[in-house]
Amino acid sequence: MKRLLGAGLALLLMAQAPAPAGVEAVGWLAGRWATQDGERWTEEMWSAPRGGLMLGASRAGRGDAVREFEFLRLQAGADGVLAYIAQPGGGPAVSFPLAAREGTSITFENPAHDFPQRIRYVRDGDSLTATISKMDGSNAMSWTFRRQ
């Protein structure tokens, strides 16, 4: 009887669980974002959600020289979970599945990746903060962008 009640409760909770977040839930990330500190600069651009996909690109440099770039996308994986997929320098894709989302804050994690293992975006008006770190929060690096 206890098993039957437990199974019934589990089914009820599953029926009430929210559907996995789609890319539309992070449409607030769309736009062109930039930060500059002296000669150093970083830019990140995100398309609006369409067809279950957001495309992004990032580049950073000093003065007129680009030092690094990255192709990005947000889309649901085969399991239906939203993922942040990065291709640093145009190399092989690395996927970071959604770990947490609340309002205009989103976190993706991949504990099997060397660095970063966690990617977090927080938007506050025309300000966007991106933070990368290890799973335990160590080696954190942050960029605060302004909408352009």
Side-chain angles (χ1 to χ4, degrees):
M1 182 69 166
K2 286 183 182 179
R3 268 194 227 170
L4 185 57
L5 284 174
L9 181 58
L11 285 173
L12 180 62
L13 290 174
M14 285 175 28
Q16 293 178 348
V23 71
E24 294 77 16
V26 291
W28 51 264
L29 191 58
R32 183 172 177 270
W33 303 91
T35 186
Q36 183 142 1
D37 182 14
E39 292 237 337
R40 292 177 186 233
W41 52 268
T42 303
E43 299 173 331
E44 201 161 295
M45 293 79 57
W46 286 97
S47 70
R50 188 165 188 180
L53 176 70
M54 284 179 75
L55 294 175
S58 175
R59 63 182 173 181
R62 177 177 239 151
D64 289 335
V66 173
R67 296 194 173 201
E68 56 190 314
F69 70 95
E70 187 168 30
F71 299 124
L72 307 163
R73 67 185 189 270
L74 291 171
Q75 68 184 82
D79 58 1
V81 175
L82 185 63
Y84 180 100
I85 302 163
Q87 292 181 262
V94 179
S95 182
F96 296 82
L98 176 67
R101 179 181 64 86
E102 184 177 335
T104 55
S105 171
I106 193 157
T107 304
F108 300 93
E109 296 177 343
N110 179 343
H113 192 251
D114 56 356
F115 187 85
Q117 295 176 326
R118 178 179 292 147
I119 300 168
R120 183 169 192 239
Y121 286 95
V122 178
R123 180 169 174 191
D124 183 12
D126 284 338
S127 177
L128 178 71
T129 301
T131 303
I132 61 174
S133 69
K134 296 286 239 175
M135 288 299 292
D136 63 4
S138 64
N139 296 23
M141 299 169 61
S142 291
W143 296 263
T144 299
F145 299 100
R146 294 279 174 218
R147 181 179 282 285
Q148 302 296 297

